[in-house]
Amino acid sequence: MSTKSEREYERRRYEKWQERQTKARARRHRQRVIAGSIVAALVLATGVVAAIALTDDGDPAATPSPSTSVPANAAEVPDPSLAQNRTWTGDIALTQGDLGIELDGAGAPQAVANFVTLAGEGYFDTTKCHRLTQEGIFVLQCGDPTALGTADPTTGGTGGPGYTWGPIENAPADGVYPAGTIAMARTGNDGSSMGSQFFLVYEDSTIPADSAGGYTVFGRVTSGMDVLQAIADAGTIEGTEVPVSDVIIEGVNIQ
């Protein structure tokens, strides 16, 4: 029999879960309304990757500055100082299992500030990782709030938080993204089009830069690579890049 304190803990936990669900539903509704006016976070192109574009403005180690960072609506973009120039740790809870993660607040302050802020708001909760690539590059793409609950299972890739930002941070000069890399997605050839979508690399991938540069690397998977590999091994719906089984983010905890 559970104790009174255990029952109280479970009650608070359930109430918090309900609150996150309510916020997530409200966010998804808002994103469906404005999706038509939001710049696509990813554009699938022929060849290797315009669909997962993360970029660099020419210097892989560069960080945004007031003179070069020109988001669509700056008032809504989280301040990069929130990244606190430190390493953040946490986990992404997927339906298939948990991924331990580490975020580089020093190397990619804007990306980390953005991710930590959205995670803290429950933005990613109940969203679907809508894209799995298995040729040329090997990534699972997540972070689109419009990718879940649509009639068309292939829908996904155009949703975002209602703002975009850039330029790119911390992109590898050689275009190599090791297994476990966590990086931002963007529209091809546009270094200021990042929003909420990100990708998880499950196998070493070489992703060539486009005219805007490379892809913002802001973290890495520290545990649970077997979970990520199992998702990849399960494959995709025939003729698509949609994972054969829904991959849902149940929650993201960062500290």
Side-chain angles (χ1 to χ4, degrees):
M1 182 178 295
S2 61
T3 65
K4 182 177 179 180
S5 61
E6 288 173 335
R7 290 194 298 272
E8 178 65 17
Y9 170 78
E10 290 300 327
R11 182 187 65 80
R12 291 196 302 270
R13 184 180 178 187
Y14 178 70
E15 289 176 348
K16 186 175 180 181
W17 178 84
Q18 284 186 313
E19 182 181 355
R20 288 201 305 268
Q21 298 305 302
T22 299
K23 290 181 178 179
R25 284 193 294 271
R27 279 194 305 273
R28 288 195 297 274
H29 174 72
R30 176 172 62 86
Q31 292 304 325
R32 284 193 294 269
V33 172
I34 66 175
S37 63
I38 297 176
V39 176
L42 287 176
V43 176
L44 178 59
T46 57
V48 188
V49 282
I52 297 182
L54 297 194
T55 175
D56 167 46
D57 64 353
D59 177 2
T63 57
S65 66
S67 61
T68 58
S69 183
V70 188
N73 36 358
E76 298 183 40
V77 181
D79 192 307
S81 67
L82 296 174
Q84 299 178 16
N85 197 39
R86 70 177 179 88
T87 299
W88 298 70
T89 58
D91 62 84
I92 300 174
L94 303 176
T95 45
Q96 287 80 359
D98 293 352
L99 306 178
I101 61 173
E102 183 177 275
L103 307 180
D104 184 2
Q110 181 64 81
V112 172
N114 183 67
F115 189 85
V116 169
T117 299
L118 292 177
E121 294 174 350
Y123 178 92
F124 298 113
D125 297 2
T126 73
T127 60
K128 179 188 292 186
C129 294
H130 61 278
R131 181 172 184 241
L132 178 67
T133 64
Q134 297 187 292
E135 184 176 351
I137 60 174
F138 307 95
V139 306
L140 176 67
Q141 189 174 314
C142 311
D144 179 358
T146 68
L148 183 62
T150 57
D152 180 359
T154 64
T155 298
T158 61
Y163 59 78
T164 57
W165 53 270
I168 309 309
E169 310 165 282
N170 203 37
D174 59 2
V176 176
Y177 299 77
T181 296
I182 306 174
M184 290 300 301
R186 62 161 172 82
T187 303
N189 303 308
D190 187 348
S192 296
S193 60
M194 290 173 285
S196 61
Q197 293 193 43
F198 61 96
F199 60 87
L200 306 163
V201 181
Y202 63 87
E203 184 177 321
D204 292 355
S205 299
T206 298
I207 309 178
D210 60 18
S211 64
Y215 305 83
T216 294
V217 173
F218 68 98
R220 66 186 183 94
V221 176
T222 56
S223 65
M225 283 299 296
D226 57 329
V227 173
L228 199 54
Q229 188 60 57
I231 292 170
D233 291 344
T236 58
I237 297 173
E238 187 175 357
T240 76
E241 292 184 326
V242 179
V244 68
S245 297
D246 283 352
V247 182
I248 309 299
I249 296 178
E250 297 179 341
V252 179
N253 297 301
I254 305 294
Q255 53 189 310

